[in-house]
């Protein structure tokens, strides 16, 4: 809730529901995910967020140090006795259960400690997710000493391939440069337009529907521009 660029963004309304509610729904719809946990902090600004999550039957874990992500993720995993966590950031209301399922299937082979679709940016920002084994989190939470490593614990695991088994999910057909996470008021307006157009027909619409919608919007914008140019 303490975002500097867009304060309170996780509780902003999209199609009649807070951003975080859409993330809860999409995680619950991901095959292979057993429980959903809100991993947040003790910051008093998060009280409304915590109360909302609990009202929806979502488990909550709160870490004192906001920047100690290693401890926060491990606490979330331990809260439900999980073997691994599927980590999604709170500014990603478009995250796709179909894409997340691909990560779950790769991790389920037992060959990896960490699986992500961020190693090769195949999908737009806003669709990223990563699975981290609880064993890897235990190692990091107990051994990492610098504040930066503890904050960027997922990157630490991803980059230490000599110690952790890392798997990448990606498809180069997609444009990974497009940004659809909600960090600014402009981001929110764009994502709100997508939800207004697609959510009523299918609350769990995925990347396929979003990409088709954006292509259609791009064609309409180009047509209007051409018409205005002709009129001049």
């Amino acid at each position: 809730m303490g975002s500097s660029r867009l304060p309170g963004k996780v509780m902003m309304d999209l199609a009649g529901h807070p951003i975080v509610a859409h993330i809860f729904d999409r995680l619950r719809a991901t095959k292979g995910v057993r429980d959903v946990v809100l991993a947040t902090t003790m910051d008093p600004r998060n009280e409304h967020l915590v109360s909302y999550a609990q009202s929806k039957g979502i488990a909550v874990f709160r870490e004192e140090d906001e920047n100690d992500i290693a401890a926060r993720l491990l606490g979330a995993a331990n809260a439900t006795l999980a073997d691994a966590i599927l980590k999604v950031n709170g500014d990603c209301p478009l995250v796709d259960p179909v894409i997340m399922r691909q990560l779950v299937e790769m991790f389920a082979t037992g060959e990896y400690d960490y699986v992500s679709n961020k190693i090769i940016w195949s999908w737009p920002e806003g669709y990223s997710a990563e699975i981290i084994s609880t064993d890897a989190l235990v190692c990091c939470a107990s051994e990492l000493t610098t504040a930066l490593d503890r904050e960027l614990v997922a990157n630490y695991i991803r980059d230490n391939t000599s110690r952790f088994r890392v798997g990448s999910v990606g498809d180069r057909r997609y444009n990974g440069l497009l940004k659809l996470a909600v960090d600014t008021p402009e981001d929110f307006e764009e994502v709100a337009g997508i939800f207004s157009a697609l959510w009523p027909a299918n609350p769990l619409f995925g990347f396929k529907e979003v990409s088709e919608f954006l292509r259609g919007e791009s064609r309409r914008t180009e047509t209007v521009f051409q018409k205005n140019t002709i009129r001049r």
Side-chain angles (χ1 to χ4, degrees):
M1 293 291 284
S3 169
S4 59
R5 288 182 290 181
L6 193 59
K9 64 182 179 181
V10 293
M11 291 299 293
M12 293 177 69
D13 185 273
L14 283 178
H17 302 276
I19 282 178
V20 72
H22 296 288
I23 300 174
F24 293 158
D25 290 343
R26 288 163 179 266
L27 285 167
R28 281 171 160 163
T30 301
K31 294 180 179 179
V33 171
R34 186 189 66 199
D35 297 298
V36 179
V37 182
L38 171 67
T40 187
T41 73
M42 299 300 293
D43 187 329
R45 291 174 292 185
N46 292 328
E47 293 300 332
H48 179 42
L49 169 62
V50 168
S51 295
Y52 178 81
Q54 291 173 334
S55 74
K56 298 298 180 181
I58 302 294
V60 176
F61 175 80
R62 305 180 75 172
E63 172 63 30
E64 183 69 35
D65 185 347
E66 183 160 352
N67 295 320
D68 191 349
I69 307 300
R72 195 194 309 183
L73 296 182
L74 178 59
N78 288 338
T80 55
L81 304 178
D83 295 320
I85 61 167
L86 170 60
K87 175 179 174 290
V88 173
N89 291 340
D91 56 5
C92 298
L94 289 168
V95 69
D96 189 338
V98 173
I99 296 173
M100 290 191 289
R101 175 62 181 170
Q102 294 180 37
L103 274 68
V104 171
E105 290 176 344
M106 176 175 279
F107 186 84
T109 65
E111 299 176 6
Y112 303 98
D113 303 301
Y114 173 93
V115 173
S116 174
N117 63 354
K118 299 196 298 182
I119 297 172
I120 299 174
W121 279 96
S122 304
W123 289 277
E125 184 178 347
Y127 286 87
S128 58
E130 49 203 336
I131 298 181
I132 311 172
S133 74
T134 301
D135 287 344
L137 290 173
V138 168
C139 290
C140 292
S142 62
E143 297 177 12
L144 297 183
T145 57
T146 71
L148 184 61
D149 281 343
R150 295 187 72 84
E151 179 180 3
L152 303 179
V153 60
N155 292 354
Y156 178 87
I157 294 170
R158 178 198 66 195
D159 296 339
N160 279 272
T161 54
S162 61
R163 182 170 186 186
F164 301 106
R165 301 169 299 165
V166 174
S168 175
V169 171
D171 188 330
R172 293 182 181 274
R173 292 177 299 172
Y174 298 141
N175 180 3
L177 301 179
L178 185 65
K179 182 175 183 290
L180 291 174
V182 179
D183 289 320
T184 66
E186 293 76 20
D187 295 338
F188 177 77
E189 290 302 318
E190 181 171 12
V191 171
I194 293 171
F195 268 85
S196 294
L198 301 179
W199 187 87
N202 176 14
L204 296 176
F205 63 89
F207 177 66
K208 179 177 181 292
E209 290 83 359
V210 171
S211 59
E212 290 172 352
F213 169 75
L214 293 177
R215 282 197 296 269
E217 290 295 290
S218 178
R219 286 193 294 269
R220 279 189 286 273
T221 300
E222 183 178 351
T223 299
V224 170
F225 174 78
Q226 290 173 343
K227 287 181 178 179
N228 289 340
T229 302
I230 292 170
R231 285 170 184 160
R232 293 192 188 94

